[in-house]
Amino acid sequence: MRIAYPRHSAALLLMGLLVLSGCSQDPGPEQLAKAEGRYQELINKNASPQDPAWVEVVAEFEAVPKDSKSRPEAEKRLASLKSAREQLPPPRPLARPGATGPGASEVDSKRAACENLAKKMGEAKTDVTRDMLRKVLQRCQTELVQTEAKSHPPGEDGADQH
């Protein structure tokens, strides 16, 4: 028995491997590059993490196939985007004195200062700090009562404003 054409068999095997490797090309790097490009555009624009444009970028990173060699890098980006999007913005201040309206008067400002001291006293970790803040708060409240006694709503200052 004779082996028929070993060179032809090797050539056919090699061609088969080349064809198969061409068919199973990993689309991950291309998808990752596309997502990275869009990611960089939004970074350069200083887009807020809550900007709706990030939804598209997240979808592009998620489109990188799970079995791709580029998937670990896509996962890193997804984790950082998720973390950035979950961070809450800093709390808004409760009151801001303005030129008119609530917060504009000296009474409103003093009341806000006393409220702030009361919060700090409630958050104090040690008795020493709490006692110190209690004394300052009592002084603040005394000043608030005096300020309220001196201030009058519009039209109560004794002048007739018709």
Side-chain angles (χ1 to χ4, degrees):
M1 183 169 186
R2 185 173 151 216
I3 297 179
Y5 309 105
R7 282 187 235 158
H8 293 298
S9 298
L12 285 174
L13 181 62
L14 184 59
M15 283 180 27
L17 288 174
L18 288 174
V19 168
L20 287 177
S21 68
C23 292
S24 65
Q25 184 180 10
D26 184 4
E30 185 179 319
Q31 289 174 322
L32 180 65
K34 179 182 175 190
E36 285 283 345
R38 185 72 179 118
Y39 174 90
Q40 201 56 49
E41 280 179 34
L42 293 176
I43 292 292
N44 292 340
K45 283 192 209 175
N46 290 327
S48 161
Q50 278 65 41
D51 189 318
W54 286 109
V55 173
E56 177 186 331
V57 175
V58 167
E60 288 178 4
F61 280 118
E62 287 176 342
V64 175
K66 302 270 186 214
D67 59 344
S68 170
K69 64 182 178 183
S70 299
R71 187 62 188 200
E73 187 61 31
E75 290 290 342
K76 287 180 192 176
R77 287 286 192 224
L78 285 167
S80 68
L81 284 171
K82 182 180 178 186
S83 172
R85 293 184 68 131
E86 287 177 348
Q87 290 179 356
L88 298 175
R92 289 182 28 209
L94 295 177
R96 290 246 175 186
T100 60
S105 73
E106 185 180 355
V107 172
D108 289 339
S109 298
K110 182 57 81 174
R111 188 174 294 120
C114 292
E115 287 175 12
N116 190 28
L117 284 169
K119 284 181 189 175
K120 287 183 180 180
M121 189 176 94
E123 296 169 353
K125 303 282 188 223
T126 64
D127 289 337
V128 174
T129 305
R130 211 171 291 116
D131 288 340
M132 180 197 66
L133 286 170
R134 183 176 293 116
K135 290 176 186 174
V136 175
L137 177 60
Q138 286 171 343
R139 236 180 301 141
C140 183
Q141 289 171 332
T142 301
E143 291 171 5
L144 175 61
V145 169
Q146 291 171 351
T147 305
E148 287 175 330
K150 292 178 191 172
S151 71
H152 299 281
E156 286 190 6
D157 57 359
D160 191 11
Q161 299 187 2
H162 287 291

